[in-house]
């Protein structure tokens, strides 16, 4: 065969010489694309640009603009960093080095440990490797040969990884004098990596097991242009300023203590925000026909065996014994909801039955992954279980989608959607999973929503729709989820009487909107940089007298606001007014109300907004009405 034909993403066909690879295809499509190309997706598989194409292949040329392309680019950068580390620190043993969102890392075992003081030398060596512009070469060897090669290097981590692989061909990737165990794919050469930066070093257990050796995880990022790297580093600097752990302390919202690692303590101001979130939550659930329930935190082991959690989730659970019986602290609210459903005989006329629960759950997270409010061991889920007939699935799923959209719009949060399918560890039949997955897919398509399929990331009892919100820094957080479950109604023998007078099995939706509420609070702190909209702000107004003589009027103003439910404080300290205004702004108080002789005389206040600055004088009654309207509307801050 002297030529082949491949199909492009738009459905068009392209003729190429036999033996042509992805780079040849990119060059045939244009010099600009060839220059930007980082890899290819052939029949759904991401491969090197140097991989030969076959007649009939469906081919997409990948660039850095795609998620797959960024992964190829940054995986290659991880190899460059690893090879630079070995040049700077000979004898370092390498573990794994995958791409992650916005960057990559490599786990290493170095003696002495690598510190940030070593970063400039490593970056300088990386720059030399990039300048060498050596190709990334794929090498295939037998498993026996791979074990022998890494045994000769005394590389225990790679040897363990190879031993776990299936017998057959093992792949290496080589760039210059560096060879690493790797499936790939990679860039054509090191010269494509134009901009990079080492960011931090942290501890990480080998394979995430706290009983295994502690390694060092070197975090870094890379981009095809210096401009993109500079923009990213600016975002990282802004994110550091917004770190919810720092702001949580500064704003007196929450704390953590050594006696309870991973267990957050919410302070009075943090509880104000939490309670406002839950007031809104309850209003919306009542409007949508949910009944609120509460189930126990401790339940007997037999329940968790019946639900499937014992077999599929027990490593993340906490246990105790009461009266010689085994109990578990609940990691999820679902089994309790199933038991409530079973307390009465249900008819199809009772469905859909929507039960919501603000339930505290505990999950054993490894200490190395704990992170402020965003990764904890105790949290509150805004859970709900919707029991329905099979015919009601689409309407109920669409109702939850609309609910989530309304909530996230309130906070100015954009989101992307993923459909997560059956994981390896799961319960239920193939038919059940296919039916559930297709029901969710159909609902998303009916709403015209774009979504990505996340293979194998469903719950153990059913597929799910995940909502990944993007905050003001464009970072992604997985929050809301809609899980469709045919399995648990079967396990708990749930029934309803249909119009035919016979017993039928209901279907259950498990869903959260905020997700873990403490985590959502952490996200909001960073999204708003601590400057909550007025309705959420722990202190909504601070009254500042310009002199001690006007303290009495300041307290009168505060009482008038408090009578209308507005959260207000008086700053009657001895500091200067300028200091008090700066302090209120540091505490992100939305309104500062200045009172002096003129304001006392005409019952007004001088109004200063934390972002908009001086807004002039306003009669007290008018200001109160204005604040009440802004709080009632739950509006975001108007732009400056």
């Amino acid at each position: 065969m002297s030529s082949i034909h491949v199909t492009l993403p738009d459905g068009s066909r392209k003729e190429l010489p036999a033996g042509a690879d992805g780079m040849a295809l990119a060059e045939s499509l244009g010099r600009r694309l060839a220059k930007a190309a980082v890899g290819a997706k052939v029949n759904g598989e991401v491969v090197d640009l140097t991989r030969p194409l076959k007649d009939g292949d469906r081919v997409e040329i990948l660039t850095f603009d795609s998620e797959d392309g960024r992964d190829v680019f940054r995986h290659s950068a991880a190899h460059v960093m690893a090879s630079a580390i070995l040049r700077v620190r000979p004898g370092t043993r390498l573990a794994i080095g995958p791409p992650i969102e916005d960057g990559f890392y490599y786990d290493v075992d170095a003696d002495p440990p690598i510190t940030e003081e070593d970063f400039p030398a490593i970056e300088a060596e990386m720059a030399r490797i990039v300048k060498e512009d050596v190709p990334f070469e794929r090498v295939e060897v037998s498993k026996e040969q791979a074990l022998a090669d890494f045994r000769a290097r005394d590389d225990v981590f790679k040897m363990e990884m190879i031993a776990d692989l299936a017998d057959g061909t093992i792949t290496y990737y080589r760039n210059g004098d560096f060879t690493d165990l790797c499936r790939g794919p990679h860039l054509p050469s090191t010269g494509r990596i134009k901009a990079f930066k080492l960011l931090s070093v942290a501890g990480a257990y080998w394979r995430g097991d706290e009983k295994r050796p502690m390694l060092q995880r070197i975090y870094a990022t890379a981009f095809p242009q210096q401009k993109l790297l500079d923009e990213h580093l600016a975002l990282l600097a802004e994110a550091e300023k917004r770190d919810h752990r720092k702001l949580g302390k500064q704003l007196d919202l929450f704390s953590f203590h050594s006696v309870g690692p991973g267990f957050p303590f919410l302070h009075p101001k943090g509880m104000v925000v939490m309670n406002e979130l839950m007031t809104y939550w309850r209003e919306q659930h009542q409007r949508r026909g949910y009944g609120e329930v509460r189930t126990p935190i401790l339940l007997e082991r037999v329940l968790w065996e019946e639900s499937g959690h014992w077999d599929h989730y027990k490593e993340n659970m906490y246990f105790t014994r009461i009266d010689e019986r085994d109990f578990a602290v609940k990691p999820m609210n679902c089994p309790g909801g199933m038991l409530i459903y079973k307390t009465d005989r249900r008819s199809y006329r009772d469905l859909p039955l929507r039960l919501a629960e603000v339930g505290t759950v505990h999950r054993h997270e490894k200490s190395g992954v704990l992170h402020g409010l965003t990764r904890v061991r105790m949290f509150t889920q805004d859970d709900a279980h919707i029991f329905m007939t099979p015919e009601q699935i689409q309407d109920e799923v669409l109702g939850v989608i609309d609910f989530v959209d309304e909530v996230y719009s309130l906070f100015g949060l954009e989101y992307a959607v993923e459909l997560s399918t059956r994981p390896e560890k799961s319960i239920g039949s193939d038919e059940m999973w296919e039916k559930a997955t297709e029901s969710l897919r159909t609902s998303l398509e009916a709403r015209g929503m774009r979504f990505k399929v996340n293979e194998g990331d469903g719950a153990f009892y059913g597929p799910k729709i995940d909502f990944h919100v993007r905050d003001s820094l464009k970072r992604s957080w997985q929050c809301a989820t809609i899980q469709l479950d045919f399995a648990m109604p079967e396990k708990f023998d749930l029934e309803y009487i249909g119009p035919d007078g016979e017993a039928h099995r209901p279907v259950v939706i498990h869903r959260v909107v905020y997700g873990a509420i403490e985590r959502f609070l952490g996200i909001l702190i960073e999204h708003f940089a601590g400057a909550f909209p007025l309705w959420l702000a722990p202190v909504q107004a601070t009254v500042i007298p310009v002199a001690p003589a006007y303290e009495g009027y300041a307290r009168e103003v505060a009482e008038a606001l408090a009578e209308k439910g507005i959260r207000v404080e008086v700053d009657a300290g001895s500091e200067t007014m300028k200091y008090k205004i700066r302090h209120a702004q540091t505490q992100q108080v939305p309104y500062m109300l200045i009172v002096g002789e003129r304001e006392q005389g005409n019952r007004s206040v001088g109004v200063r907004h934390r972002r908009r600055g001086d807004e002039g004088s306003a009669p007290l009654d008018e200001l109160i009405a204005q604040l009440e309207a802004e709080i009632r509307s739950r509006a975001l801050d108007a732009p400056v």
Side-chain angles (χ1 to χ4, degrees):
M1 184 183 294
S2 59
S3 65
I4 59 172
H5 291 83
V6 298
T7 303
L8 303 179
D10 63 0
S12 63
R13 282 163 57 83
K14 183 75 176 177
E15 184 177 2
L16 296 168
D21 57 18
M23 180 55 79
L25 172 60
E27 289 169 346
S28 74
L29 295 171
R31 290 178 59 188
R32 181 176 294 180
L33 178 61
K35 186 177 179 181
V38 299
K41 185 177 277 189
V42 179
N43 303 322
E45 179 189 3
V46 181
V47 302
D48 302 310
L49 283 167
T50 54
R51 184 82 64 89
L53 302 175
K54 300 190 298 294
D55 189 54
D57 282 343
R58 300 186 66 86
V59 186
E60 175 187 356
I61 299 300
L62 300 175
T63 68
F64 190 81
D65 292 333
S66 69
E67 184 177 341
D68 287 329
R70 287 190 291 275
D71 282 350
V72 172
F73 187 93
R74 287 173 171 149
H75 192 184
S76 302
H79 277 231
V80 169
M81 182 174 75
S83 56
I85 288 171
L86 289 183
R87 288 187 185 184
V88 173
R89 287 291 201 85
T92 297
R93 293 192 292 185
L94 303 175
I96 58 171
I100 55 176
E101 185 175 8
D102 293 332
F104 58 93
Y105 67 79
Y106 219 111
D107 287 349
V108 303
D109 181 18
D111 185 20
I114 290 172
T115 69
E116 292 191 10
E117 292 179 358
D118 297 306
F119 285 4
I122 296 171
E123 289 175 343
E125 200 59 48
M126 289 176 70
R128 279 189 278 274
I129 294 168
V130 168
K131 189 174 181 180
E132 291 166 6
D133 195 22
V134 294
F136 284 96
E137 300 173 286
R138 179 184 172 96
V139 180
E140 296 184 352
V141 298
S142 67
K143 183 174 180 178
E144 292 76 15
Q145 183 63 53
L147 282 169
D149 289 344
F150 284 96
R151 189 178 295 114
R153 302 185 196 181
D154 191 30
D155 196 330
V156 294
F157 303 116
K158 302 294 184 185
M159 287 166 60
E160 183 178 325
M161 293 167 65
I162 294 167
D164 290 343
L165 296 174
D167 292 342
T169 301
I170 304 293
T171 57
Y172 298 165
Y173 273 81
R174 179 183 297 129
N175 52 283
D177 56 1
F178 176 72
T179 301
D180 201 6
L181 174 72
C182 184
R183 287 180 296 185
H186 284 287
L187 295 169
S189 69
T190 61
R192 299 289 188 102
I193 305 168
K194 301 298 184 185
F196 50 84
K197 181 72 176 174
L198 272 62
L199 301 173
S200 62
V201 58
Y205 290 108
W206 170 232
R207 293 194 156 180
D209 185 345
E210 56 196 12
K211 297 176 183 176
R212 307 294 297 278
M214 171 67 80
L215 305 176
Q216 288 188 284
R217 179 163 292 176
I218 314 297
Y219 287 98
T221 192
F223 290 85
Q225 299 172 31
Q226 185 64 40
K227 178 187 173 186
L228 295 176
L229 174 60
D230 291 342
E231 290 172 355
H232 179 70
L233 294 178
L235 280 177
L236 289 182
E238 180 63 24
E240 187 175 353
K241 286 190 228 169
R242 292 169 178 252
D243 189 322
H244 75 279
R245 296 168 298 176
K246 185 189 302 181
L247 289 173
K249 184 175 182 179
Q250 175 186 317
L251 303 177
D252 194 23
L253 299 173
F254 64 88
S255 61
F256 287 89
H257 302 273
S258 60
V259 293
F263 298 93
F265 290 68
L266 289 184
H267 297 194
K269 288 181 178 179
M271 282 305 300
V272 168
V273 183
M274 180 75 82
N275 288 335
E276 288 295 336
L277 289 172
M278 295 321 302
T279 296
Y280 170 69
W281 184 91
R282 288 189 167 94
E283 287 175 7
Q284 296 304 312
H285 280 75
Q286 186 175 14
R287 182 161 72 87
R288 290 172 168 81
Y290 287 80
E292 188 172 351
V293 301
R294 187 173 70 174
T295 62
I297 288 178
L298 273 176
L299 291 166
E300 195 174 359
R301 169 178 169 168
V302 292
L303 176 71
W304 304 105
E305 290 174 334
E306 185 177 4
S307 69
H309 288 84
W310 187 264
D311 291 332
H312 296 270
Y313 208 76
K314 65 182 175 185
E315 65 274 11
N316 295 101
M317 296 170 66
Y318 297 108
F319 306 97
T320 189
R321 285 182 66 79
I322 303 173
D323 297 333
E324 304 306 314
R325 293 154 64 191
D326 291 327
F327 281 73
V329 182
K330 68 175 178 180
M332 299 177 187
N333 298 307
C334 340
M338 305 302 121
L339 295 182
I340 289 177
Y341 181 91
K342 288 191 74 170
T343 58
D344 202 356
R345 185 175 172 85
R346 310 289 179 179
S347 161
Y348 72 96
R349 293 187 181 89
D350 301 321
L351 305 183
L353 177 64
R354 306 183 187 105
L355 302 179
E357 177 173 15
V358 184
T360 299
V361 299
H362 293 72
R363 298 180 185 177
H364 177 61
E365 299 282 1
K366 293 178 179 176
S367 58
V369 302
L370 298 176
H371 184 83
L373 293 178
T374 58
R375 197 68 178 263
V376 291
R377 288 171 169 162
M378 182 204 79
F379 55 92
T380 313
Q381 277 193 313
D382 66 319
D383 226 333
H385 297 95
I386 304 173
F387 302 87
M388 61 203 161
T389 69
E391 295 76 23
Q392 294 168 332
I393 291 174
Q394 184 163 314
D395 285 345
E396 291 304 305
V397 172
L398 292 176
V400 177
I401 290 173
D402 292 342
F403 191 175
V404 171
D405 182 73
E406 183 172 332
V407 170
Y408 290 170
S409 296
L410 177 72
F411 300 102
L413 292 166
E414 301 172 351
Y415 62 86
V417 177
E418 287 185 357
L419 174 60
S420 298
T421 62
R422 186 175 193 171
E424 268 187 47
K425 290 179 67 175
S426 59
I427 58 177
S429 66
D430 291 344
E431 180 185 1
M432 181 212 84
W433 275 89
E434 287 169 12
K435 184 176 180 181
T437 305
E438 190 55 34
S439 295
L440 292 180
R441 186 190 303 274
T442 301
S443 297
L444 288 169
E445 290 171 347
R447 186 57 80 238
M449 300 185 77
R450 295 178 59 186
F451 62 93
K452 172 185 170 185
V453 177
N454 191 5
E455 297 288 355
D457 200 42
F460 73 84
Y461 48 76
K464 59 179 181 168
I465 296 171
D466 287 328
F467 293 79
H468 295 261
V469 303
R470 286 202 170 270
D471 64 16
S472 56
L473 295 182
K474 304 304 179 187
R475 297 170 302 180
S476 181
W477 307 87
Q478 198 274 306
C479 290
T481 187
I482 306 171
Q483 301 171 355
L484 189 57
D485 180 8
F486 288 78
M488 214 160 279
E490 190 74 34
K491 282 183 164 291
F492 282 90
D493 194 27
L494 304 187
E495 293 181 344
Y496 68 90
I497 303 303
D500 58 0
E502 299 295 322
H504 298 268
R505 193 75 73 203
V507 183
V508 174
I509 286 175
H510 309 248
R511 55 107 283 218
V512 293
V513 178
Y514 292 146
I517 303 172
E518 289 81 356
R519 183 169 184 265
F520 193 73
L521 172 59
I523 292 167
L524 290 183
I525 292 170
E526 298 193 1
H527 177 59
F528 292 121
F532 294 110
L534 183 64
W535 69 279
L536 275 180
V539 178
Q540 295 168 319
T542 294
V543 187
I544 302 174
V546 300
Y550 308 109
E551 184 180 331
Y553 178 60
R555 297 197 182 282
E556 185 182 333
V557 169
E559 287 173 10
L561 269 67
E563 283 179 6
K564 296 297 184 180
I566 297 168
R567 296 184 290 275
V568 60
E569 291 180 348
V570 175
D571 188 344
S574 59
E575 295 86 0
T576 65
M577 189 176 74
K578 185 176 180 181
Y579 173 88
K580 292 176 182 180
I581 290 172
R582 187 167 65 247
H583 176 70
Q585 289 180 319
T586 301
Q587 291 298 300
Q588 298 294 357
V589 178
Y591 287 94
M592 288 141 277
L593 309 179
I594 316 301
V595 296
E597 181 180 4
R598 183 179 60 183
E599 288 78 18
Q600 180 174 285
N602 58 19
R603 195 171 168 76
S604 67
V605 292
V607 181
R608 184 177 184 85
H609 188 268
R610 65 184 167 200
R611 285 184 176 160
R612 299 190 296 269
D614 186 1
E615 296 190 325
S617 181
L620 179 58
D621 291 343
E622 286 184 17
L623 173 76
I624 290 173
Q626 173 194 326
L627 297 186
E628 284 186 299
E630 187 177 340
I631 292 167
R632 195 164 45 246
S633 69
R634 295 191 171 100
L636 299 175
D637 276 357
V640 178

